[in-house]
Every structure is written in structure tokens, then in C-alpha cells.
Amino acid sequence: MSNAVTLYGADYSVYTRIARLALEEKGVAYDFEPVDIFAHGAALEEYLLRHPFSKIPAFEHEDFPLYEAGAIARYVDEAFDGSALQPDSPRARARMNQVISILDSYGYRALVWDVFFERVRVPQKGGAADEGKIAAGLDMSRKCLRALEDIRGDAPWLAGDALSLADCHAYAMFVLFRMAQDGEDLFAAEGGLGEWYNVFRARRSAAATRHPMEQEESE
């Protein structure tokens, strides 16, 4: 039997995983529909009706369609019962939004494309990694790590005492970053987020949304 909630995306996508983590943390039953945005023909044309910019994920709750991972995650938190994924206080919520903005604006390109993709995926496809991109990505990644460590301080989670959408955002990106040896070395050297990462990794939501390469490593 189909659920009233459907998420369209790909299991290798960081932003699809962010939305899935929110759904899992809220305990929302949902259908997951794989989408190949690199395909051609009728399937892609149909998906463009859901996301005109040909990105993933897209989402539908009953008769309410939505796209953009940040909007989806916030909607999921506010539309469904379960533990809140956004702080109540204005200051804590501002910190959550600050973390998300840092990751979207500076982290994603550096962590995922410049480090993970160049060091891991390019060689897997038979290419040569661009060491210049990796070096620049590591420099920006270091800045992001230190900024997040400063924001978190002594709190257990990135935006305070409770897990929030900021943690979902960060975890989905750091999983890939740490698959690159350069990323793992930098993450270990900085040190401040190691405990936070391990706590999130042990959550059911992390296991339920594993990246395909995580599954390969565990087999």
C-alpha cells in the first residue's frame, strides 16, 4: 500500500539524503522513488514537472508538491508529529540556519565536489584527480570544520542540546568527505566533530539512508 508521502531522488545524492534523514528522524512513512536526472526521454520530462531545474530531491505529500531539500526538510518537521528538528528559541534556530547556510554556501562544493569527487570518484572512473581542486577544497573544508566547531562549542549537537536539521545537513556531507583519505585525515586532525559524527552515525536514521558506497564498505 502506498504512503501519502513520496520522495523523489537518488540514494547517492547528498541533498536527497538530507530530506530522507528528516523523514526518518520524524518517523514518517514514505515511498522513495529513484530518479536519474542524467537520463533522457519521457521519464526525465515527467520529472521536470516536479522540479523544473532538474535537481533532486522533489517531494509530494498528498496533493502538495514541493522541491528543494531545505524546504522539504522544514516542511517535514512542521507538518508531522515527532521530535522537533528545529529549535524553539530564536537564537538556537538562527544557529541552525547559520550552520545550514555555511554548508550550502561554502561546504558542499569543497567537501563533496572538490575533495570526495576528485579524490574518490574521478579515479574510480579512470580519470586523474585535480590536485589543485583538492587542495583548495581542503582549505575551505578546514575553515568549515573550524566554524562548525566554534558554533557547536560544548553542546552535543551543532545547534544546541537537541538534534536539528543542521545535523542532518552536515552528516550527509561529511559521510562523503571522509571517504576521501584527505578528508578523513583533515577531519581527524581537526578533531572537534568526531564525537558528534559517531553519535549521529549510530542513529537508526543514518543506517536507513546509507549511501551506496557505505554499504559497499560494510560488506
Side-chain angles (χ1 to χ4, degrees):
M1 181 177 180
S2 296
N3 297 302
V5 176
T6 304
L7 185 72
Y8 302 85
D11 58 3
Y12 59 78
S13 160
V14 164
Y15 282 96
T16 298
R17 189 175 194 180
I18 290 167
R20 293 183 71 195
L21 285 168
L23 286 160
E24 295 287 345
E25 287 290 338
K26 295 292 286 190
V28 177
Y30 65 100
D31 292 321
F32 182 55
E33 293 288 339
V35 173
D36 181 3
I37 58 173
F38 303 106
H40 299 281
L44 181 59
E45 290 301 318
E46 181 180 349
Y47 181 69
L48 289 175
L49 298 177
R50 301 188 181 281
H51 199 315
F53 299 98
S54 189
K55 300 291 186 181
I56 47 180
F59 170 90
E60 190 166 7
H61 176 211
E62 296 175 341
D63 61 348
F64 181 64
L66 190 64
Y67 60 86
E68 293 300 301
I72 294 167
R74 287 174 174 84
Y75 175 81
V76 166
D77 182 42
E78 294 166 10
F80 297 95
D81 295 333
S83 299
L85 298 178
Q86 298 178 89
D88 288 331
S89 80
R91 291 187 178 185
R93 187 171 289 217
R95 288 299 185 204
M96 179 197 77
N97 288 328
Q98 183 182 31
V99 168
I100 291 172
S101 182
I102 288 168
L103 290 164
D104 285 342
S105 299
Y106 317 113
Y108 177 65
R109 171 59 60 176
L111 296 163
V112 177
W113 286 100
D114 292 345
V115 178
F116 165 74
F117 190 81
E118 286 295 329
R119 181 61 76 209
V120 179
R121 295 296 287 146
V122 169
Q124 285 178 342
K125 295 179 178 183
D130 186 325
E131 298 296 337
K133 285 186 179 179
I134 292 172
L138 288 169
D139 184 58
M140 181 59 74
S141 297
R142 184 180 295 105
K143 292 178 183 178
C144 290
L145 280 165
R146 291 177 179 176
L148 297 189
E149 289 167 12
D150 287 344
I151 291 168
R152 176 179 173 240
D154 296 327
W157 299 102
L158 294 180
D161 293 332
L163 182 147
S164 75
L165 297 177
D167 301 289
C168 297
H169 230 80
Y171 182 76
M173 295 185 191
F174 281 124
V175 164
L176 297 189
F177 179 66
R178 294 187 66 179
M179 287 183 189
Q181 189 60 55
D182 311 70
E184 175 63 17
D185 291 345
L186 180 59
F187 196 90
E190 292 299 321
L193 296 180
E195 182 181 3
W196 160 85
Y197 182 90
N198 289 332
V199 170
F200 200 119
R201 183 172 58 181
R203 295 182 73 83
R204 186 192 60 80
S205 63
T209 62
R210 281 195 187 103
H211 187 280
M213 290 179 64
E214 285 183 273
Q215 295 175 345
E216 291 171 10
E217 290 178 345
S218 66
E219 293 173 354

